[in-house]
Amino acid sequence: MHLLYWLDILGTAVFAISGVLLAGRLKMDPFGVLVLGTVTAIGGGTIRDLLLDVPVFWIVDSTDLIIAIVTCFATIVLVRRPNTLPKWILPVLDAIGLAVFVGIGVNKALTQEVNALVAVCMGVLTGVGGGMIRDTLAREIPMILRKEVYATACIIGGAIHALSYLYFELSMPMATLLGILATLSIRLTAIRWRLQLPTFALEN
Amino acid sequence: MHLLYWLDILGTAVFAISGVLLAGRLKMDPFGVLVLGTVTAIGGGTIRDLLLDVPVFWIVDSTDLIIAIVTCFATIVLVRRPNTLPKWILPVLDAIGLAVFVGIGVNKALTQEVNALVAVCMGVLTGVGGGMIRDTLAREIPMILRKEVYATACIIGGAIHALSYLYFELSMPMATLLGILATLSIRLTAIRWRLQLPTFALEN
Amino acid sequence: MHLLYWLDILGTAVFAISGVLLAGRLKMDPFGVLVLGTVTAIGGGTIRDLLLDVPVFWIVDSTDLIIAIVTCFATIVLVRRPNTLPKWILPVLDAIGLAVFVGIGVNKALTQEVNALVAVCMGVLTGVGGGMIRDTLAREIPMILRKEVYATACIIGGAIHALSYLYFELSMPMATLLGILATLSIRLTAIRWRLQLPTFALEN
């Protein structure tokens, strides 16, 4: 699970960057940017911990909080022209962060002895919660409700994770790895070939 | 209280449908729809349980969560043209769901020995919380802050419920029934005759 | 700390008024206004208490809740033309409320033995949380993410508060006073001379 620790830090940093980049389009002052970036990075796990009624992770151990804050400042100072980055970098990093966060969420939920359905919900919330708060604060319709196969990837990856642990009796590290790889590969496939489920649109 | 159980399930299903129908106007992918519908159905009770510091209801017993998810899928598959439904059906079902949720919220708060004012707040939050999250995520100004006599009905019904239990010493089932009927009849009256309180609008 | 008690009540009332005035621009019904004003007044402290896992303050002692509700009604009844007020009144009252709320938040966090960084976060959340919910519900980009030196003042004031208590071993009342004065004077200075940090805006 050592790998998971570093992936978690990577995911936190990536989500913080995504908050800062969105803020950059909205002309916020630097501390406003800091708030938006930090909320994006730690919001999902915070909601999860509140629902599971366990101590909030960044209050117990502030590593992730510090990572988020430092990343925000670094992004503010270093990034001036996000468009000079290769286009695939951010989506791919975001996919890694998402997959890891879903895995961590399912993991933590399962240690609280919840059922599989609740565990998947916690995984999805951990993965998408921060982005939903970010988009809501920035007055956008949350991307995860719209974008190709975003919630879908989390749900399937989380389900594989929870089911392999609870019903196929894989060890937790194996189940976690399997779930993360599932979420990640679905998202990457969707990004690469611009897959999209048929949208649900009602005639009025 | 057996009736309350079934009304709760009805309310959960109705609120899930309202989330799905709103999602249908926003061209989301099916799992985005599922997230929005589920959040609408269980969001209010979740906020209530967090505030009261009791275990979140759908983590303890996932019946309502399952009802919400199944309803979302059923709505996605079955409903194609919401406008072919008789126009009064959704508002009336929504009024029933609202009244029941307010009743359940006040009920649960009173068993935690809070005062009447807090109990009414918990009832209102249970009733309107899910819809507020739904509208916020979908970038609408929450209907409950605007629509005819919506918050009003919840507050009055919740107050009748709490006061009859705490001060007039009715039994809990009687007080609950009274509160639910009050919320419901105020909402139905408002829907039927399009009642509206004078809006509070400031000159600038 | 007697002064703090009265400042808290003042802050609660001011934040409730700010919620009601925003609602007045959105043509809500009076109970919708009540909900928005109350949420603005007690939202920040509520989030803080949830994160710290302590009982929510207005459930334990409903004074602030009652202050918020009464202020909302009074504002609805009394204020018709906010523009006839001297222009400086609301921002100055808001700055007082903000500074006090940040101080109370840091205070409460420190009594839970969290580290300095978490204490500052709790102060900022207490100060700006209510306003963020208000703006989000009213579909505005939260002012605190944009307005001159708003989050900045909270962060600096909160940091001075936490550091003087934890590292310079000032007594809690002294540290609180120092932090509140710091937040307040930064905000007032920014309001008076329209200071603004350079915004962080990305070229695309």
Side-chain angles (χ1 to χ4, degrees), chain B residues 37-189:
Chain B
T38 305
V39 165
T40 306
I42 67 176
T46 303
I47 297 174
R48 174 202 61 215
D49 289 347
L50 288 178
L51 293 177
L52 289 175
D53 201 12
V54 297
V56 174
F57 69 103
W58 53 270
I59 295 182
V60 177
D61 171 356
S62 298
T63 311
D64 279 345
L65 179 58
I66 294 167
I67 298 288
I69 292 172
V70 170
T71 307
C72 289
F73 278 119
T75 311
I76 292 174
V77 172
L78 297 177
V79 178
R80 285 287 132 194
R81 300 172 174 228
N83 286 7
T84 58
L85 294 170
K87 279 218 179 315
W88 57 269
I89 277 214
L90 275 176
V92 168
L93 288 176
D94 178 78
I96 296 174
L98 182 74
V100 174
F101 275 27
V102 173
I104 291 173
V106 174
N107 228 330
K108 197 157 185 180
L110 289 175
T111 61
Q112 300 296 313
E113 316 219 319
V114 300
N115 63 46
L117 189 59
V118 171
V120 174
C121 288
M122 291 301 154
V124 174
L125 272 174
T126 311
V128 308
M132 289 183 85
I133 300 177
R134 174 196 63 209
D135 293 349
T136 302
L137 288 179
R139 228 177 40 178
E140 314 244 333
I141 293 182
M143 190 184 71
I144 78 110
L145 298 176
R146 312 230 283 178
K147 209 172 169 181
E148 340 79 50
V149 203
Y150 204 92
T152 313
C154 300
I155 292 172
I156 296 177
I160 289 176
H161 182 165
L163 295 177
S164 15
Y165 176 74
L166 289 174
Y167 299 108
F168 299 105
E169 296 181 359
L170 263 63
S171 71
M172 185 63 96
M174 274 305 296
T176 307
L177 191 65
L178 207 62
I180 290 178
L181 289 178
T183 310
L184 183 61
S185 47
I186 295 171
R187 263 307 281 155
L188 289 181
T189 312

Side-chain angles (χ1 to χ4, degrees), chain A residues 8 10 21 41 52 67 72 75 99 117 129 146 158 163 172 182 185 195:
Chain A
D8 175 35
L10 175 67
L21 294 186
L52 288 176
I67 298 288
C72 289
T75 311
L117 189 58
R146 312 230 284 177
L163 296 177
M172 185 65 95
S185 48
L195 295 187

Side-chain angles (χ1 to χ4, degrees), chain C residues 94-107:
Chain C
D94 178 78
I96 296 173
L98 181 74
V100 174
F101 275 27
V102 173
I104 291 174
V106 174
N107 228 330

Side-chain angles (χ1 to χ4, degrees), chain A residues 9 26-27 64 74 90 92 94 117 121 152-153 156 180 193 200:
Chain A
I9 286 180
L26 300 172
K27 306 202 175 154
D64 279 346
L90 275 177
V92 168
D94 178 78
L117 189 58
C121 288
T152 314
I156 296 176
I180 290 179
W193 286 282
F200 170 69

Side-chain angles (χ1 to χ4, degrees), chain A residues 34-56:
Chain A
L34 178 64
V35 171
L36 196 65
T38 306
V39 165
T40 306
I42 66 176
T46 304
I47 298 175
R48 173 203 62 214
D49 288 347
L50 288 178
L51 294 177
L52 288 176
D53 201 12
V54 298
V56 175

Side-chain angles (χ1 to χ4, degrees), chain A residues 63-163:
Chain A
T63 311
D64 279 346
L65 179 59
I66 293 167
I67 298 288
I69 292 173
V70 170
T71 307
C72 289
F73 278 120
T75 311
I76 292 175
V77 172
L78 297 176
V79 178
R80 285 288 133 191
R81 299 169 174 228
N83 285 7
T84 59
L85 294 171
K87 280 221 179 311
W88 57 269
I89 278 213
L90 275 177
V92 168
L93 288 177
D94 178 78
I96 296 173
L98 181 75
V100 173
F101 276 27
V102 172
I104 291 173
V106 174
N107 226 330
K108 197 157 183 179
L110 288 176
T111 63
Q112 300 297 313
E113 316 219 319
V114 300
N115 63 46
L117 189 58
V118 171
V120 175
C121 288
M122 292 301 155
V124 174
L125 272 174
T126 309
V128 306
M132 289 182 84
I133 300 178
R134 174 197 64 208
D135 293 349
T136 303
L137 289 178
R139 229 177 39 180
E140 315 244 335
I141 293 181
M143 190 184 70
I144 77 109
L145 298 176
R146 312 230 284 177
K147 212 172 166 181
E148 341 77 48
V149 200
Y150 203 93
T152 314
C154 300
I155 293 172
I156 296 176
I160 289 176
H161 181 165
L163 296 177

